[in-house]
Amino acid sequence: MARTRTSVAATSLLSTVLLLSSCGGGNGEDEVVLTWLNPHAGAYEPVVEAFEERNEGVRIELQSVPFDQVVEQTQARLGAGDTGIDIVSVDPPRLANMVAQGFLTNESEYLPEMEDQFIEAGINSVTADGEQWAYPLWTSNNFLFYNREALENAGVEIPGESHEDRLTWEDVLKRAEEVVDAGETTYGFGMDQVDRYYALQPMIESIGAGNGLTGDDNLTPEVNTPEWVEFGEWYSDIHSSGLAPRGVEPEQMVDLFRSGQSAFLLGGASAIGRMQDGDFSDSWGMAPHPYFENGAVVTPTDSWAIGITSTTEHEELAREFVQFATLNPGGAELASSVNTLPPVNTEAFEAYVDFIQDLAPEQTEGFSELFRIDSEEHARHRPESVGYVHFETQMNQAFSDIRNGANVENTLNQGQQALDRELANLENLAADN
Amino acid sequence: MASETLNERSRRTGRRALFLAVPIALLSIAPLVWALISSLRPGEDIFRFLYPISWETFIPSRITFDNFTTVLTGPFGMALWNSVFVTAVSVVVGLALASLAAFALACMDFPGRSFIFAFLVICFLVPFEAIAIPLSTTFRDLGLANTYTGLILPALGNGLAIFLLRQFFMGVPSSLAEAARMDGLGWFGIFWRIYLPLSKGPMIGAGLILFVFQWQSFLWPLLIAPAPDVRLAPVAIADFAQETGVNYGQMFAAAILTAAIPLLLVLFFQRHFSGSNANSGSKE
Amino acid sequence: MTTIQAETVSGSPPPTRRKPRFGAQRANTLMWAGIFLLPSVILLILLRFAPMVAAFSDALAFGSTRGIWSNFSFIFSDPAFWNSLWITLIFSIIINPLQIALALGLAVLLTKHIPMVGLWRTLILLPVAVPQVVSAIIWLVLFRPDGPLNGITRALGLPSIPWLTEPGWALWSIIVVCSWVGVGYWMTFLVAGIREIPNSLYEASSIDGAGAWRQFWHITVPGLRRPLLFVLVADTVSNFLIFAPVRILTRGGPEGSTDLIMYNITERAYTLGDTGAASAATLVLIVVVIAVVAVQFRLMPGKD
């Protein structure tokens, strides 16, 4: 008995010593390793392999972090001066903040190349203080998906697919109610980015309100104006009436829709692939993003970009890769091949449209044209501000509360006060540094 | 005679207690059973039968093992192995360090003992997540980023495990140690021959503390070891929640596999664990 | 810290304490104590204490035009921070007695002579082996207004419960999730404790005709004093430090009703990147926890 215990102890001690001495060694000798911190596990292997084939002796390590951790991890690691990251995925509305903290290299000298290859909205998404700090990868838009079968069974008119047939929200809700009243679905309407500012901003602006941040540098909150309250009441009503679900998180919305429980879904193009997967395929259709009666048509835009960290030791090589994955049409196509999001590279976008049309030929006939019109005429970027993270965090929480039935005016007033404090503190901190 | 009736009585209360224990145990794993069932459904079925409840809420009408095959052939398998290895080393080494420290604090008399104990208590009050960012910077400077060592070290300094063992060691009658000392046994001998054999229960408890700390760790491995070859299971599982939606089927499948490993271990060693049961009612 | 010292001193006398005989023996003891303690103490200094001190220096705003304490004045002027302290207090007052009572009850139950007792114990412990990311997501679905839990309440003829969507319910739902994980975990330590109690004590009192209730209060509870103190302190501390379920289930809402302090701190540190305010808030939290734990040590001395 005593002997076995001794031997167990000895083995474990030895293994620890071995472990301590064997770990912590460097990687291969001549190989240059570029590390890319990104929130898209499994999405970039094709583009990385293509680049590695062309550049012998270069390896790109994909460090993917879970999507809802990427802001935190980027902040924690770049904020602590981690030199181990060469390339970083950038969420455009957070760009200004990252630039203010000095995380990214200035890429303005490549503006001509960008103008050759990218749609304008893409370039705007990586611009802060009039300069470019990253390379856009994708863009985005929201669409109104509908459950064709449920609408037909309820005798509700099917929405048209072209931008000329764009419905008003008033009309959408009326149809949604009819479908629910006919007993076809439990809910009338869901949003795959429910409570999130990204999806709400176009509605807020369509109803006639500002985007919520004003003043120099967009550091003055304005989220309790009568128009904001008007939108808040609308948002509150659709949830308190049960037309839209409470307590269903954004991640569950597409599944809710494709299991036939909702008549409409406001969602992004990424939902297409998931709706076509399984027995819901082809029982849906898509229509343009709605707007409020007497209001402007406003659509969301922007998606991830890639930047080069200012602490990288391989800036040239990192730039070469980033440009390959965005400016080079072949590279950009590969970078979008897994996460089928619309590339900002115009040539790669064509290939993407082909892909989408293969996926759902009938439903996506008008997709390309609609996407073009929305992003050229109706898209609004999220406000460019170093305080965007604070703003978005507060707003997402406020609308989550409103969805759950909190008093609209109080919630927006409290949001306004909290933002006043936080953004002022941000200015104080900036002044100290 | 008396002991026999006692025995019988304890069996009878045991059988009665069974009617309470089984429902509680089933209630406790019900959410996991639901996850298991969901992981066996095709994606579009997971949310289809939530409400109102019917037999289909609990029994899948269509079964697929796709989620399990996808999960096991993907990067998750590697992550699960990493978790097993890192946790095993953390538990073994952590137990060795913690039991020695606890023994010194409980049984040996030296100046500053209560000071060290107070220090230890303060250390386990420190929320690890609040110091993880500065600590990860230090680790990176030391070249411990993306290494097993970097993952294991923070689990070893576990004040809670020391506290638990100290509580137990203090309850061991000091006469035992004194007698051993008369026989010429040194301090290590007392620890090894007297205290350790008596402490199977508390050592399992301390092992559980170390195990849970490492098996559950999430923020730290994200900060210090995000490279694919050293990822841990909880981090790899979180990858199933993508921006464009959560792959619930695969996520639940991975979670079931993650929970199954400790479950099998415990069930396998169960007989060993429930060995010297002073209170089992049966006398050998 | 005096309470902790008092507790140590009042503990059972260690073997050598009665007669510290010779200087040589004392030196020997000192040496071995050093060898036993050094690895752990060094690790704790490097991995917990030093970063904590570093975090505190972050909390002090050196060179700020608004004074060195500006991070503290910022959090103390923040109604959200006060709210999170208040929520944490309510949460602690409810969850700690609840978890300990349930864990103790289950420990007593599961040390009875039950067939396959190990299996039932393991199943109750199992939730702790599931990564928190997933267990919270499972509950997120179970708690949906149209989720299985409300399916059950409706099938029983009860009204639907707004688990996560109403301020009055959300904290309770967090408590349910945390206890689902925690009760089995703490139970395990108490099961180990009960099994250390000599069976003869129960047999003797049975012969004296004592019922189960009397045995519980007169044998089990006194015999469990040390494990209970451990569970009380460890459970209290870990409940002060909960944030992962909040992050996934409610993000502190609705209306701040589940904004536990550790969630508030991690939001500041990780999402907003305000390390100064986060460190200041951490310092406040540690002071609160030390105060509570000191009281617990005093109220429950480990005497035999």
Side-chain angles (χ1 to χ4, degrees), chain A residues 196-218:
Chain A
R196 290 185 185 158
Y197 182 74
Y198 168 82
L200 299 181
Q201 183 195 0
M203 302 180 176
I204 293 169
E205 294 202 40
S206 176
I207 218 168
N211 68 16
L213 284 175
T214 61
D216 293 343
D217 304 325
N218 277 331

Side-chain angles (χ1 to χ4, degrees), chain B residues 105-108 113 166-175 195, chain C residues 6-18 226 302-304:
Chain B
L105 286 172
C107 311
M108 298 167 81
R113 186 171 74 152
R166 171 192 175 268
Q167 287 301 101
F168 174 80
F169 288 155
M170 283 179 69
V172 175
S174 53
S175 52
Y195 276 73
Chain C
E7 198 274 325
T8 313
V9 171
S10 66
S12 79
T16 54
R17 177 161 268 174
R18 259 170 235 165
R226 281 174 203 286
K303 267 184 228 154
D304 275 301

Side-chain angles (χ1 to χ4, degrees), chain A residues 5 12 16 20 23-24 40-41 61-64 66 69 73 77 80 82 251-252 255 261 270 274 278-279 304, chain B residues 43-44 47 62 92-93 137 140 146-147 149 152 192 218 222 226-228 231 238-239 242-246 248:
Chain A
R5 241 187 285 131
S12 60
T16 320
L20 289 168
C23 294
H40 304 110
E61 182 173 293
L62 291 166
Q63 290 194 354
S64 58
Q69 292 281 337
Q73 290 296 316
R77 295 185 58 188
D82 184 354
E251 297 80 10
Q252 305 169 2
D255 287 313
Q261 297 180 56
S270 63
R274 292 177 61 206
D279 61 6
W304 291 89
Chain B
E44 68 271 21
F47 294 117
R62 297 185 293 171
V92 172
V93 181
T137 316
R140 217 167 276 121
N146 297 317
T147 64
T149 318
I152 291 166
W192 192 253
F218 178 69
L222 257 185
R231 306 197 109 202
D239 271 345
Q242 293 268 344
E243 183 177 12
T244 51
V246 179
Y248 289 96

